[in-house]
Amino acid sequence: MKTQPLMIRTLHSVEELEEVRRLETIVWSFDDSVPVNQSMAVVKNGGFILGAFYEDQLIAFQYSFPGFDGKKVYLVSQSLGIHPDFRKRGIGEKLKMEQRKTAANMGYDFITWTYDPLETVNGSLNLNKLGAVVKSYLPNVYGLMNDNLNAGIPTDRFLVEWHTKDDKGIRESEQILPHALITGGGDTRFYQPEKVDLSITAKKMYVPVPGNFQEIKKVNLPLAKAWREQTGIVFTHYLEQGWYVTDLVKSEGNTNLYLYLLEKGDSNEN
């Protein structure tokens, strides 16, 4: 992608939205793609769809629609898809930054979406790079699913909030903080969750998660389920007590371990 710059713009026409559906079919499947009449309705009623183009080819998209919880209007970030040939090039982050700018120009104060807290690539983008926060843990949001990423594991999710006018700046590296979940097992390739601590009173803490969750699922499904269960207990308890998840950092010296930073306070109160 050195010969031409990536171009990102909002999409409006039926032809463009048909292109998006074709790309969705490649990324996921036709059954999981959004019908054009629905995406057009979103575009005409407060939402938008961004397209990323390289050499006039649509290679990625981001789909957002308005949400309302009875008190405030916000933007829901529904999906972001990148063609398999163009992944790991920072396109997702570029789309998210354009999404934030577009949302702010349209008057949205914040954007929300969900992701699996055990998927550390997504966590690193959402929290460490974008500066979003998490205030809610949602157990088994989509029920049991049979796709490659979710099969056999409850679909627990973090609910992310990303404020359009807030810039958290540079993130910190690993600090010395108490851990709400003790890991062990003696195998640095497949760490095990051993003990939950729900009594921490410090202002900051870490919750460790594996950096290779999908690999663990393939090799040891009971261990993957244990990670889901134990982290679910910790996140549910502390987020209900007013904590926020504000960052994800890689554990120094532990290739397959990441640390979620939880803080007690008034981070981005609405």
Side-chain angles (χ1 to χ4, degrees):
M1 297 180 62
K2 296 180 180 179
T3 56
Q4 289 189 11
L6 186 75
M7 183 181 69
I8 299 176
R9 59 178 174 81
T10 55
L11 308 179
H12 301 281
S13 71
V14 170
E15 292 76 17
E16 290 172 331
L17 299 183
E18 286 174 342
E19 265 194 273
V20 171
R21 191 171 194 187
R22 284 192 290 271
L23 181 53
E24 285 182 282
T25 301
I26 294 171
V27 174
W28 296 295
S29 70
F30 180 79
D31 290 340
D32 292 322
S33 64
V34 178
V36 172
N37 61 346
Q38 181 177 331
S39 56
M40 180 60 76
V42 166
V43 168
K44 291 182 176 295
N45 291 278
F48 58 87
I49 297 175
L50 297 172
F53 293 84
Y54 176 64
E55 294 184 344
D56 297 324
Q57 175 190 354
L58 179 70
I59 62 170
F61 71 93
Q62 196 289 311
Y63 173 49
S64 303
F65 61 84
F68 179 62
D69 63 3
K71 297 179 181 179
K72 55 185 176 295
V73 176
Y74 48 88
L75 189 70
V76 179
S77 183
Q78 174 64 12
S79 59
L80 188 155
I82 302 172
H83 192 286
D85 294 343
F86 292 89
R87 291 172 184 167
K88 297 183 179 181
R89 304 190 188 191
I91 296 172
E93 184 176 357
K94 290 181 174 66
L95 275 169
K96 293 299 292 184
M97 297 308 296
E98 186 66 26
Q99 177 196 36
R100 188 188 201 191
K101 182 171 72 174
T102 303
N105 290 339
M106 294 175 68
Y108 289 105
D109 291 329
F110 75 95
I111 306 167
T112 185
W113 65 92
T114 63
Y115 82 93
D116 186 338
L118 295 179
E119 296 292 348
T120 52
V121 172
N122 293 341
S124 180
L125 171 62
N126 295 335
L127 305 184
N128 189 271
K129 293 182 179 180
L130 300 181
V133 299
V134 172
K135 300 181 181 180
S136 300
Y137 187 85
L138 309 176
N140 205 25
V141 177
Y142 305 109
L144 294 178
M145 301 174 67
N146 294 319
D147 61 280
N148 292 334
L149 291 178
N150 298 287
I153 301 289
T155 52
D156 294 16
R157 296 291 185 265
F158 272 159
L159 181 62
V160 178
E161 290 187 12
W162 194 30
H163 291 250
T164 60
K165 298 178 177 64
D166 177 63
D167 184 3
K168 288 183 174 292
I170 299 174
R171 298 306 207 165
E172 298 181 5
S173 58
E174 183 179 347
Q175 308 167 52
I176 300 176
L177 298 173
H179 286 212
L181 180 62
I182 306 303
T183 62
D187 185 347
T188 57
R189 183 183 174 198
F190 300 120
Y191 285 94
Q192 298 179 18
E194 292 192 341
K195 183 181 178 181
V196 167
D197 186 352
L198 302 182
S199 62
I200 294 175
T201 57
K203 292 295 184 181
K204 295 182 179 182
M205 73 175 84
Y206 281 132
V207 178
V209 294
N212 55 340
F213 183 61
Q214 290 299 325
E215 184 183 4
I216 291 174
K217 276 183 60 181
K218 293 176 183 177
V219 175
N220 190 337
L221 186 58
L223 178 58
K225 289 182 176 180
W227 272 110
R228 175 67 87 213
E229 179 182 358
Q230 297 300 306
T231 55
I233 291 171
V234 173
F235 289 130
T236 297
H237 173 79
Y238 283 108
L239 294 184
E240 287 181 350
Q241 300 301 314
W243 292 73
Y244 306 116
V245 186
T246 60
D247 202 358
L248 178 68
V249 298
K250 196 166 187 177
S251 178
E252 295 178 6
N254 299 302
T255 304
N256 292 318
L257 200 66
Y258 282 73
L259 303 169
Y260 276 110
L261 175 64
L262 273 66
E263 299 185 54
K264 180 79 171 180
D266 57 351
S267 176
N268 280 329
E269 285 285 8
N270 291 319

